Amino acid sequence: MGIFKKKNDLYLSDKQPLTLVGKIGLLLSYIVLIIWSYAILWPLFQMVVSAFNGEQGKNLMLNGNFEFSFKHFEYLFNETLYLRWVANTIFIAITTAILTLIIVSFTGFAYSRYRFKGRKASLMTIMLIQTIPAFAGITAYFTMHSIISSVVPSFSRQMMLILIYSGGGIAGNTFILKGYLDSISTELDDAAKIDGCSNMKVYRLIIMPIARPMLAIIALWSFIGPFMDYLLPKVLLTSPESYTLAAGLFTLVNNERSLNQPAFAAGGLLTAVPIVIMFIVLQKQLVSGLSKGSVKG
């Protein structure tokens, strides 16, 4: 009985009660988090209100009357090239994600499972490439486009943008996927090879199903990139018909003739829809990828 009584006097966890300094620190942490949340949520709230406020004119009025209306969305669809911008962005985003996934899955697998000459040097090069901003090579991009388009006349500036996004994402994502694959035991590879699997079958049947969560994250990052980037599309794409969403919507706030800030807010709100859909689709892969691939048979 004495032993049980002594155990009952122990805390349920190893954590000691907070001291006065600990309580003050916890309070300050909550205050910082609340301020940070307010700084993020307040602009989003204003964007949603402005997008549906029929009382808004061409300029945003944060402290005005509110009348629920879809007129800013109607302006966006009827008076601008918004649908064309959406189609351009989705095409670029999907193509970029597919190209990045195909190349990164092979390069990540190769760096993780093979030992070859120049492996460490190339990995260091990949790390150093990440320190160079994409915009720094704008002159080289124009030169490359001129050379390729002279050989392939149908090569458009949008395709050049896809190559830039894919090429820029391959280096960092290869390093990330390589680190993830390094955590997967090579005993699975050996067991599959004993059963007669080739290296390609090991890659396709063993490694890729296990790596599906990381591949889903890479796909999501690659898909979001073209939606968020403004600078490169604005420089490389010369006609409004070829603009992406970021470049197209910016014409609603930087041009006096097409100025419509509430429509810009409505467009920004709708921009999140494809990203949310993509996240919902890939969320299933994040869960299912953890339970498949490592079971033999």
Side-chain angles (χ1 to χ4, degrees), residues 238-251:
T238 55
S239 63
E241 290 79 10
S242 64
Y243 280 171
T244 60
L245 271 172
L249 288 176
F250 195 70
T251 60

PDB file of all heavy atoms in Angstrom, residues 238-251:
ATOM      1  N   THR A 238       4.950  39.372 -72.785  1.00  0.00           N
ATOM      2  CA  THR A 238       4.820  40.731 -73.325  1.00  0.00           C
ATOM      3  C   THR A 238       3.386  41.145 -73.609  1.00  0.00           C
ATOM      4  O   THR A 238       3.093  42.341 -73.664  1.00  0.00           O
ATOM      5  CB  THR A 238       5.639  40.851 -74.618  1.00  0.00           C
ATOM      6  OG1 THR A 238       5.237  39.818 -75.535  1.00  0.00           O
ATOM      7  CG2 THR A 238       7.132  40.685 -74.332  1.00  0.00           C
ATOM      8  N   SER A 239       2.477  40.215 -73.785  1.00  0.00           N
ATOM      9  CA  SER A 239       1.095  40.569 -74.127  1.00  0.00           C
ATOM     10  C   SER A 239       0.154  40.213 -72.986  1.00  0.00           C
ATOM     11  O   SER A 239       0.347  39.202 -72.309  1.00  0.00           O
ATOM     12  CB  SER A 239       0.644  39.828 -75.396  1.00  0.00           C
ATOM     13  OG  SER A 239       0.647  38.430 -75.193  1.00  0.00           O
ATOM     14  N   PRO A 240      -0.889  41.032 -72.739  1.00  0.00           N
ATOM     15  CA  PRO A 240      -1.844  40.734 -71.658  1.00  0.00           C
ATOM     16  C   PRO A 240      -2.523  39.379 -71.824  1.00  0.00           C
ATOM     17  O   PRO A 240      -2.911  38.764 -70.838  1.00  0.00           O
ATOM     18  CB  PRO A 240      -2.854  41.882 -71.767  1.00  0.00           C
ATOM     19  CG  PRO A 240      -2.119  42.994 -72.431  1.00  0.00           C
ATOM     20  CD  PRO A 240      -1.172  42.331 -73.378  1.00  0.00           C
ATOM     21  N   GLU A 241      -2.671  38.912 -73.068  1.00  0.00           N
ATOM     22  CA  GLU A 241      -3.323  37.621 -73.291  1.00  0.00           C
ATOM     23  C   GLU A 241      -2.491  36.454 -72.767  1.00  0.00           C
ATOM     24  O   GLU A 241      -3.030  35.382 -72.506  1.00  0.00           O
ATOM     25  CB  GLU A 241      -3.593  37.414 -74.789  1.00  0.00           C
ATOM     26  CG  GLU A 241      -4.671  38.303 -75.372  1.00  0.00           C
ATOM     27  CD  GLU A 241      -4.161  39.712 -75.652  1.00  0.00           C
ATOM     28  OE1 GLU A 241      -2.920  39.924 -75.571  1.00  0.00           O
ATOM     29  OE2 GLU A 241      -4.989  40.597 -75.950  1.00  0.00           O
ATOM     30  N   SER A 242      -1.200  36.645 -72.627  1.00  0.00           N
ATOM     31  CA  SER A 242      -0.328  35.571 -72.162  1.00  0.00           C
ATOM     32  C   SER A 242       0.025  35.682 -70.688  1.00  0.00           C
ATOM     33  O   SER A 242       0.757  34.845 -70.161  1.00  0.00           O
ATOM     34  CB  SER A 242       0.968  35.553 -72.984  1.00  0.00           C
ATOM     35  OG  SER A 242       1.708  36.751 -72.783  1.00  0.00           O
ATOM     36  N   TYR A 243      -0.494  36.711 -70.008  1.00  0.00           N
ATOM     37  CA  TYR A 243      -0.159  36.931 -68.598  1.00  0.00           C
ATOM     38  C   TYR A 243      -0.621  35.778 -67.724  1.00  0.00           C
ATOM     39  O   TYR A 243      -1.613  35.100 -68.009  1.00  0.00           O
ATOM     40  CB  TYR A 243      -0.799  38.213 -68.087  1.00  0.00           C
ATOM     41  CG  TYR A 243      -0.065  39.484 -68.452  1.00  0.00           C
ATOM     42  CD1 TYR A 243      -0.638  40.732 -68.218  1.00  0.00           C
ATOM     43  CD2 TYR A 243       1.199  39.454 -69.015  1.00  0.00           C
ATOM     44  CE1 TYR A 243       0.016  41.912 -68.538  1.00  0.00           C
ATOM     45  CE2 TYR A 243       1.865  40.623 -69.345  1.00  0.00           C
ATOM     46  CZ  TYR A 243       1.274  41.839 -69.105  1.00  0.00           C
ATOM     47  OH  TYR A 243       1.929  42.991 -69.432  1.00  0.00           O
ATOM     48  N   THR A 244       0.098  35.592 -66.615  1.00  0.00           N
ATOM     49  CA  THR A 244      -0.390  34.731 -65.548  1.00  0.00           C
ATOM     50  C   THR A 244      -1.268  35.566 -64.612  1.00  0.00           C
ATOM     51  O   THR A 244      -1.420  36.769 -64.800  1.00  0.00           O
ATOM     52  CB  THR A 244       0.777  34.119 -64.760  1.00  0.00           C
ATOM     53  OG1 THR A 244       1.564  35.172 -64.192  1.00  0.00           O
ATOM     54  CG2 THR A 244       1.655  33.264 -65.659  1.00  0.00           C
ATOM     55  N   LEU A 245      -1.827  34.926 -63.589  1.00  0.00           N
ATOM     56  CA  LEU A 245      -2.749  35.628 -62.693  1.00  0.00           C
ATOM     57  C   LEU A 245      -2.086  36.790 -61.975  1.00  0.00           C
ATOM     58  O   LEU A 245      -2.654  37.881 -61.879  1.00  0.00           O
ATOM     59  CB  LEU A 245      -3.321  34.651 -61.674  1.00  0.00           C
ATOM     60  CG  LEU A 245      -4.609  33.926 -62.074  1.00  0.00           C
ATOM     61  CD1 LEU A 245      -4.951  32.853 -61.064  1.00  0.00           C
ATOM     62  CD2 LEU A 245      -5.753  34.911 -62.223  1.00  0.00           C
ATOM     63  N   ALA A 246      -0.886  36.568 -61.460  1.00  0.00           N
ATOM     64  CA  ALA A 246      -0.212  37.625 -60.699  1.00  0.00           C
ATOM     65  C   ALA A 246       0.043  38.845 -61.576  1.00  0.00           C
ATOM     66  O   ALA A 246      -0.229  39.984 -61.178  1.00  0.00           O
ATOM     67  CB  ALA A 246       1.097  37.100 -60.114  1.00  0.00           C
ATOM     68  N   ALA A 247       0.566  38.628 -62.782  1.00  0.00           N
ATOM     69  CA  ALA A 247       0.855  39.740 -63.686  1.00  0.00           C
ATOM     70  C   ALA A 247      -0.423  40.385 -64.192  1.00  0.00           C
ATOM     71  O   ALA A 247      -0.512  41.615 -64.327  1.00  0.00           O
ATOM     72  CB  ALA A 247       1.702  39.247 -64.857  1.00  0.00           C
ATOM     73  N   GLY A 248      -1.442  39.564 -64.478  1.00  0.00           N
ATOM     74  CA  GLY A 248      -2.699  40.117 -64.993  1.00  0.00           C
ATOM     75  C   GLY A 248      -3.456  40.927 -63.963  1.00  0.00           C
ATOM     76  O   GLY A 248      -3.933  42.036 -64.249  1.00  0.00           O
ATOM     77  N   LEU A 249      -3.558  40.394 -62.749  1.00  0.00           N
ATOM     78  CA  LEU A 249      -4.298  41.113 -61.709  1.00  0.00           C
ATOM     79  C   LEU A 249      -3.601  42.411 -61.321  1.00  0.00           C
ATOM     80  O   LEU A 249      -4.272  43.367 -60.910  1.00  0.00           O
ATOM     81  CB  LEU A 249      -4.465  40.220 -60.473  1.00  0.00           C
ATOM     82  CG  LEU A 249      -5.442  39.054 -60.608  1.00  0.00           C
ATOM     83  CD1 LEU A 249      -5.437  38.204 -59.345  1.00  0.00           C
ATOM     84  CD2 LEU A 249      -6.852  39.554 -60.900  1.00  0.00           C
ATOM     85  N   PHE A 250      -2.291  42.451 -61.459  1.00  0.00           N
ATOM     86  CA  PHE A 250      -1.577  43.673 -61.088  1.00  0.00           C
ATOM     87  C   PHE A 250      -1.939  44.841 -61.989  1.00  0.00           C
ATOM     88  O   PHE A 250      -1.786  45.998 -61.598  1.00  0.00           O
ATOM     89  CB  PHE A 250      -0.062  43.420 -61.126  1.00  0.00           C
ATOM     90  CG  PHE A 250       0.741  44.486 -60.434  1.00  0.00           C
ATOM     91  CD1 PHE A 250       0.689  44.611 -59.055  1.00  0.00           C
ATOM     92  CD2 PHE A 250       1.529  45.362 -61.145  1.00  0.00           C
ATOM     93  CE1 PHE A 250       1.426  45.595 -58.404  1.00  0.00           C
ATOM     94  CE2 PHE A 250       2.272  46.347 -60.514  1.00  0.00           C
ATOM     95  CZ  PHE A 250       2.216  46.472 -59.132  1.00  0.00           C
ATOM     96  N   THR A 251      -2.429  44.551 -63.197  1.00  0.00           N
ATOM     97  CA  THR A 251      -2.860  45.640 -64.083  1.00  0.00           C
ATOM     98  C   THR A 251      -4.084  46.368 -63.532  1.00  0.00           C
ATOM     99  O   THR A 251      -4.395  47.465 -63.984  1.00  0.00           O
ATOM    100  CB  THR A 251      -3.192  45.093 -65.486  1.00  0.00           C
ATOM    101  OG1 THR A 251      -4.253  44.130 -65.395  1.00  0.00           O
ATOM    102  CG2 THR A 251      -1.968  44.434 -66.105  1.00  0.00           C
TER     103      THR A 251
END
